[in-house]
């Protein structure tokens, strides 16, 4: 299996309370396994507040819905040994 790397990483975002925010990370290979999103070191699951998806096989996206002050912090995307933060 090829080593999946991060082609373009996360970008910082500033949003107003109650808005949605989307983070994107472009990886080198499709169908990447061992992928994880975190907010403030807490692993995120796909649910009504966090939408996790993959576009065109290589662009992993995380949308945080209706953010609050408690959502302030570092978002991290990890694929294998590679990490990007914003």
């Amino acid at each position: 299996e090829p080593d999946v790397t991060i082609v373009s990483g996360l970008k910082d975002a500033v949003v107003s309370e109650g808005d949605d925010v989307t983070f994107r990370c472009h990886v080198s290979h499709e169908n990447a396994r061992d992928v994880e999103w975190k907010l403030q070191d807490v692993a995120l699951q796909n649910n009504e507040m966090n939408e996790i998806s993959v576009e065109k096989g290589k662009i992993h996206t995380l949308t945080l819905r209706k953010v609050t002050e408690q959502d302030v912090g570092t978002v991290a995307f990890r694929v294998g040994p590679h990490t990007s933060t914003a």
Side-chain angles (χ1 to χ4, degrees):
E1 224 173 87
D3 183 31
V4 178
T5 60
I6 295 172
V7 176
S8 65
L10 302 177
K11 292 181 175 46
D12 292 345
V14 177
V15 291
S16 299
E17 193 167 13
D19 287 349
D20 296 350
V21 60
T22 300
F23 295 93
R24 287 183 177 80
C25 202
H26 186 169
V27 298
S28 59
H29 294 77
E30 291 186 10
N31 305 320
R33 293 196 187 117
D34 194 23
V35 169
E36 182 177 49
W37 286 98
K38 286 185 173 183
L39 174 60
Q40 301 164 177
D41 280 335
V42 176
L44 299 176
Q45 304 297 321
N46 196 24
N47 59 36
E48 65 277 355
M49 297 307 291
N50 314 312
E51 183 183 320
I52 297 171
S53 62
V54 181
E55 299 171 3
K56 298 182 183 132
K58 295 182 183 180
I59 301 169
H60 292 256
T61 63
L62 165 67
T63 300
L64 302 176
R65 303 226 176 270
K66 298 185 178 79
V67 295
T68 66
E69 282 185 37
Q70 287 75 37
D71 295 321
V72 170
T74 301
V75 171
F77 172 82
R78 181 186 61 76
V79 56
H82 308 287
T83 303
S84 178
T85 59

